[in-house]
Amino acid sequence: MRPRVCVPIVDSLRRRITDRARELRELPIQMVEWRVDYYAGYEAEVRSIVKELKEILEDKELIVTLRTEYEGGEKNGSRFDYFGMIEGVLQDGAADYVDVEIERDEKWLSKISHPYRESHTGIIGSFHDFDKTPEKDSILGILEKSKELGCRMGKIACMPHCEEDVDTVLMATKQMRENHPEYPIITMSMGALGSRSRLYGGLYGSEVSFGCEQEQSAPGQMDVHEMLRVFDKIYAGKKHIILIGFMGVGKTCISKELSSQTQKPEIDTDAWIEKNEGRSIREIFEEDGEEYFRRVETNLIDELGEQPPSIVSCGGGMALREINVRKLQALGEVVLLTAKPDTIYERVKDDTGRPLLQGNKNVAFIEKLMSERQPYYERAATKCVATDQRPVEDIAKEILEKCNQI
Ligand code: S3P
């Protein structure tokens, strides 16, 4: 799902805050967050500024946030009466959301969430960890707590120290969406390392992503225009037929047949990479290693979003990375082609272009690698078609039927 894009207002004076809202109204974004802790004026004006902002922003959603210092907010915010301001915003019902830090005072939160359940303004129950990324189960627990406390949406932002931490947040997001599909959540991994969570979080179920135009309001926020450009590619809708499966399973050949039956262009990811890199897959593996090749594969998927509906034939390892699978599924039907190890061996035995099979060309190796990969392929596939001893026209017909394209 394409996340809604939110840009924070971080100005200090009423006039600048409202001018900024007028500028943001013109952007193709869905939400604006007013960060009250950056505001340097009188507290008594806060509620009327919220109303004015909502009038300016019209159908764009407005989040009002008084971020405490502990949550990475401005010192300035500490002079405001946190609870009083939030209750006031809820009472007025002008904003679409007000952000509340769930750890601040759970009793108070459950007490105020109840009477304002029907208010136009919903509570976003947020949680921040600027030091680390909690375990997946803790993240789930925090998001579930926000739901129990009566919030309309849950939000978590944590700091990663390694790639696995970013994956933890994404996987917790996916799990939370599966467990509570009706409860909206916003999740992010902060800092430069976490920036992919701001782009790809939507593939796992995060509903909002925060971008900035000039000034960041949290570490790792990226330029909103760049974010929108990438979103156009990633969330381009299901339009391709995407073939995955083990080397030699017949992807290239079946893709040609599908292309001729449907008159859709054909894209071979290996051929695309070879053309872009100006060298063969074998040379890429020899010169830069498999990890480099896998990164190139992951980046290439975004480009697929810009292509017209096509038949895409993927390299045999494409479905092994979780992020690739998420991206591919967002762009089309992912069709797993299968064949027995003997059939594969017959098809690849005279080929020299597959580095993983160099020196390993025997049925036992193919069988072993295939069984290691099978769970990944099955998890990635939205459709599955067997290819052993079948004419290619037949296989193509079955794929088109399964993808409702006949
Ligand atoms: C690979 C399969 C190859 C190619 C690279 C790695 C793999 O594509 O991308 O050699 O890991 O299975 P084919 O499946 O088209 O041979």
Side-chain angles (χ1 to χ4, degrees):
M1 185 204 327
R2 184 178 172 127
R4 283 173 275 167
V5 174
C6 183
V7 176
I9 296 180
V10 291
D11 293 283
S12 54
L13 300 174
R14 180 169 189 149
R15 183 61 191 277
R16 288 228 210 101
I17 291 165
T18 50
D19 283 351
R20 186 78 188 112
R22 280 186 198 89
E23 288 164 13
L24 292 177
R25 183 176 61 192
E26 305 309 319
L27 293 185
I29 58 174
Q30 293 71 36
M31 286 180 137
V32 170
E33 179 187 47
W34 179 32
R35 280 285 300 270
V36 184
D37 46 304
Y38 283 83
Y39 168 58
Y42 296 116
E43 181 164 6
E45 285 190 33
V46 167
R47 285 164 72 172
S48 80
I49 296 177
V50 171
K51 287 182 200 154
E52 190 180 349
L53 285 176
K54 188 57 198 172
E55 273 160 29
I56 295 169
L57 292 168
E58 295 170 356
D59 55 352
K60 290 206 198 305
E61 292 182 301
L62 172 66
I63 307 177
V64 177
T65 303
L66 175 54
R67 183 71 66 232
T68 60
E69 270 181 87
Y70 169 74
E71 296 175 281
E74 294 290 288
K75 273 204 182 65
N76 179 46
S78 315
R79 70 198 169 95
F80 295 118
D81 165 15
Y82 187 82
F83 301 109
M85 195 211 83
I86 288 166
E87 281 211 56
V89 173
L90 282 167
Q91 222 168 53
D92 295 340
D96 297 275
Y97 296 98
V98 65
D99 185 292
V100 175
E101 183 193 343
I102 62 165
E103 283 209 313
R104 176 110 185 195
D105 188 336
E106 285 180 14
K107 267 209 191 105
W108 169 80
L109 178 51
S110 64
K111 211 170 89 217
I112 56 150
S113 67
H114 203 72
Y116 293 109
R117 233 186 1 216
E118 305 300 326
S119 164
H120 174 77
T121 309
I123 297 174
I124 297 180
S126 72
F127 175 91
H128 294 76
D129 191 330
F130 280 87
D131 295 327
K132 60 176 189 319
T133 299
E135 300 286 314
K136 182 177 161 210
D137 284 348
S138 312
I139 296 179
L140 281 173
I142 292 162
L143 291 168
E144 271 160 358
K145 170 64 87 25
S146 72
K147 182 172 184 286
E148 282 158 25
L149 290 171
C151 299
R152 206 168 284 168
M153 218 193 265
K155 174 176 170 186
I156 186 161
C158 20
M159 195 57 86
H161 290 292
C162 54
E163 292 291 342
E164 287 71 33
D165 284 345
V166 186
D167 290 335
T168 300
V169 171
L170 293 171
M171 297 317 282
T173 309
K174 177 171 171 250
Q175 183 79 52
M176 182 69 190
R177 286 320 293 245
E178 279 167 16
N179 296 356
H180 306 281
E182 77 303 336
Y183 185 62
I185 51 172
I186 306 173
T187 62
M188 74 210 76
S189 205
M190 293 184 285
L193 190 56
S195 64
R196 69 184 162 93
S197 74
R198 298 182 185 271
L199 293 177
Y200 303 124
L203 298 171
Y204 296 78
S206 177
E207 294 209 1
V208 178
S209 191
F210 289 75
C212 60
E213 248 198 332
Q214 298 125 2
E215 213 183 318
Q216 287 187 341
S217 68
Q221 256 173 24
M222 58 195 299
D223 176 71
V224 66
H225 301 282
E226 176 60 17
M227 180 180 267
L228 290 166
R229 264 195 298 281
V230 180
F231 276 16
D232 285 345
K233 296 183 190 181
I234 308 174
Y235 305 101
K238 277 186 177 278
K239 54 182 177 176
H240 301 315
I241 292 180
I242 300 165
L243 306 180
I244 61 162
F246 201 77
M247 292 170 268
V249 86
K251 288 166 293 187
T252 308
C253 183
I254 294 163
S255 138
K256 286 203 177 3
E257 177 63 24
L258 283 168
S259 168
S260 97
Q261 286 194 24
T262 58
Q263 300 300 305
K264 287 184 180 158
E266 199 197 340
I267 298 172
D268 181 308
T269 62
D270 280 350
W272 181 309
I273 290 172
E274 288 186 331
K275 185 157 173 264
N276 269 1
E277 293 271 321
R279 50 192 176 148
S280 70
I281 301 288
R282 209 174 69 197
E283 284 163 338
I284 299 174
F285 269 69
E286 278 166 12
E287 291 161 16
D288 289 317
E290 180 171 352
E291 193 42 42
Y292 171 82
F293 174 73
R294 298 295 175 207
R295 273 203 303 279
V296 176
E297 275 189 320
T298 300
N299 292 338
L300 175 149
I301 307 178
D302 293 350
E303 307 308 314
L304 296 178
E306 290 198 315
Q307 303 306 310
S310 306
I311 311 296
V312 181
S313 159
C314 295
M318 188 68 108
L320 303 179
R321 278 189 166 188
E322 165 74 21
I323 183 65
N324 296 2
V325 173
R326 293 266 138 197
K327 288 185 183 187
L328 291 172
Q329 287 182 352
L331 291 175
E333 289 295 348
V334 181
V335 182
L336 170 62
L337 301 176
T338 63
K340 299 200 171 78
D342 298 353
T343 315
I344 302 274
Y345 174 73
E346 282 307 314
R347 290 178 186 161
V348 301
K349 66 177 193 289
D350 302 320
D351 184 272
T352 55
R354 292 182 166 103
L356 294 178
L357 295 182
Q358 278 321 101
N360 288 318
K361 247 179 248 153
N362 57 71
V363 177
F365 179 83
I366 292 172
E367 202 165 359
K368 181 170 169 287
L369 186 58
M370 199 189 250
S371 70
E372 281 166 17
R373 288 182 169 192
Q374 200 57 22
Y376 293 93
Y377 287 143
E378 284 173 10
R379 222 172 295 151
T382 57
K383 308 278 182 265
C384 186
V385 174
T387 67
D388 297 280
Q389 284 151 23
R390 293 179 66 189
V392 69
E393 298 80 16
D394 232 39
I395 301 168
K397 192 161 161 275
E398 183 182 338
I399 292 171
L400 293 175
E401 270 166 15
K402 286 194 160 156
C403 296
N404 296 324
Q405 299 216 3
I406 278 188

